[in-house]
Amino acid sequence: DEPGLFMRGMRLVASYVKVHPKPFFISVGGAFLYAVASIGLTVVFGQVNDKVLKPAFSGGVPMSTIWLAVLAIMIAGALRSAGIMIRRYYSGVAGAQMMATLRRRVADRYRELSLQFHKETPTGELLAHMEADVEAAVDVLHPVPFACGVIFLVVFAMIALLLTDPFLALIGFLLFPALALMNHSFARLMQGP
């Protein structure tokens, strides 16, 4: 059942965040910077189009205006890239720290078990619990900052769209639920195969 699975996943992510909050929240901050810079870059492109490109075809533009436009594009692009790097790097740091914590907990638990358990259990199985199981448990954590970035991007894009053209924003607001319903329907149909 999807809602139960989603809630279990959210509880798991919340437990990870409690253990190592700093890299996780820095990663989400990078996702926020990425979203803001992505929307900002579109605004900069619009301004460059209106104040540099269009006037250049009708008469000319001062060289200082061209250099300011180039600088604005470079700054917005650099901020967007910085957001991507921060999000990816600290997502990896959060995952690595959580894997180290879980491995330590598994090792501590192994030390508490009897010598007879260790004699009866194959070494490969014990190592699999230390490596593959821990990695599978932490794989849930990696996409969370990326998903937060998508949510930030959608919210900021809808705000920008609302400020730009309310009619177009209305179409966008209707489009997102329609796409969500189509995606849900497709996922349900593809579950069997």
Side-chain angles (χ1 to χ4, degrees), residues 101-174:
T101 299
L102 290 178
R103 282 191 187 107
R104 209 172 306 112
R105 288 179 182 174
V106 171
D108 290 346
R109 181 68 181 123
Y110 278 168
R111 279 196 301 270
E112 294 170 1
L113 296 172
S114 68
L115 186 59
Q116 185 63 31
F117 171 81
H118 289 284
K119 287 180 181 178
E120 294 173 354
T121 309
T123 306
E125 184 180 330
L126 296 172
L127 289 173
H129 291 304
M130 290 288 285
E131 179 59 30
D133 291 355
V134 166
E135 193 170 313
V138 173
D139 278 347
V140 171
L141 182 63
H142 292 294
V144 173
F146 297 96
C148 290
V150 169
I151 291 169
F152 292 143
L153 194 57
V154 168
V155 168
F156 296 148
M158 293 310 285
I159 290 169
L161 194 57
L162 193 59
L163 294 173
T164 304
D165 187 349
F167 180 71
L168 207 54
L170 177 65
I171 293 171
F173 283 126
L174 295 175

Side-chain angles (χ1 to χ4, degrees), residues 12-110:
L12 186 61
V13 168
S15 68
Y16 290 164
V17 172
K18 285 180 189 174
V19 176
H20 298 290
K22 186 177 178 181
F24 179 80
F25 284 116
I26 292 173
S27 179
V28 172
F32 181 82
L33 177 62
Y34 165 76
V36 169
S38 293
I39 299 301
L41 189 58
T42 63
V43 171
V44 167
F45 279 139
Q47 293 296 316
V48 168
N49 184 53
D50 292 344
K51 296 180 178 169
V52 178
L53 293 178
K54 284 181 183 177
F57 286 109
S58 63
V61 177
M63 192 55 101
S64 62
T65 304
I66 294 171
W67 283 112
L68 283 173
V70 169
L71 181 64
I73 290 171
M74 297 292 283
I75 289 172
L79 287 173
R80 186 171 182 257
S81 297
I84 291 169
M85 289 186 292
I86 291 168
R87 179 188 67 191
R88 285 183 181 270
Y89 177 77
Y90 281 99
S91 175
V93 168
Q97 286 181 352
M98 195 62 215
M99 285 199 294
T101 299
L102 290 178
R103 282 191 187 107
R104 209 172 306 112
R105 288 179 182 174
V106 171
D108 290 346
R109 181 68 181 123
Y110 278 168

